[in-house]
């Protein structure tokens, strides 16, 4: 996908934690260590200056796809947990 195509994608309900831009356009960068810390494609270049350097960022081109993947993983994890819970050893 071209850079121009990525810029057309909006991440509705996601706010850049640096510039406070709502509904991030383009690639979303989500901190893998913090809850609810996101940077837009313009602010990610300042990540080392504005966020702990030992944290990593997950590059998310499309939040809808990210949410679908996480919903599948969460439901599988919950299903495995409840299945394992039935075995009393």
């Amino acid at each position: 996908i071209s850079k121009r195509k990525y810029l057309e994608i909006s991440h509705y309900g996601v706010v850049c934690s640096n510039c406070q831009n709502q509904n991030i356009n383009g690639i979303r960068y989500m901190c893998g260590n913090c809850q609810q810390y996101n940077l837009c494609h313009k602010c990610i270049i300042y990540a080392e200056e504005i966020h702990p350097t030992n944290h990593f960022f997950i590059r998310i081109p499309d939040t809808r796809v990210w949410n679908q993947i996480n919903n599948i993983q969460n439901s599988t994890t919950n299903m495995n947990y409840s299945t394992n819970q039935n075995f009393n050893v």
Side-chain angles (χ1 to χ4, degrees):
I1 298 178
S2 69
K3 186 175 181 179
R4 173 180 280 160
K5 197 69 168 168
Y6 280 132
L7 291 176
E8 294 174 5
I9 296 174
S10 291
H11 303 269
Y12 296 105
V14 180
V15 178
C16 178
S17 298
N18 184 51
C19 70
Q20 302 303 309
N21 185 15
Q22 294 190 10
N23 302 326
I24 292 176
N25 289 323
I27 297 174
R28 167 189 175 191
Y29 295 88
M30 182 180 78
C31 180
N33 300 84
C34 299
Q35 287 186 345
Q36 300 299 318
Y37 191 91
N38 297 282
L39 294 176
C40 66
H41 71 280
K42 293 179 182 177
C43 293
I44 191 65
I45 60 174
Y46 305 110
E48 290 183 3
E49 298 168 26
I50 60 176
H51 202 67
T53 56
N54 62 337
H55 288 199
F56 67 95
F57 283 87
I58 302 167
R59 184 178 184 269
I60 304 174
D62 191 330
T63 295
R64 296 168 299 178
V65 175
W66 174 257
N67 290 340
Q68 287 176 349
I69 291 168
N70 281 317
N71 287 337
I72 291 169
Q73 288 176 344
N74 289 337
S75 64
T76 302
T77 302
N78 291 338
M79 184 172 40
N80 288 339
Y81 178 73
S82 62
T83 302
N84 291 338
Q85 200 172 19
N86 292 334
F87 294 102
N88 294 322
V89 179

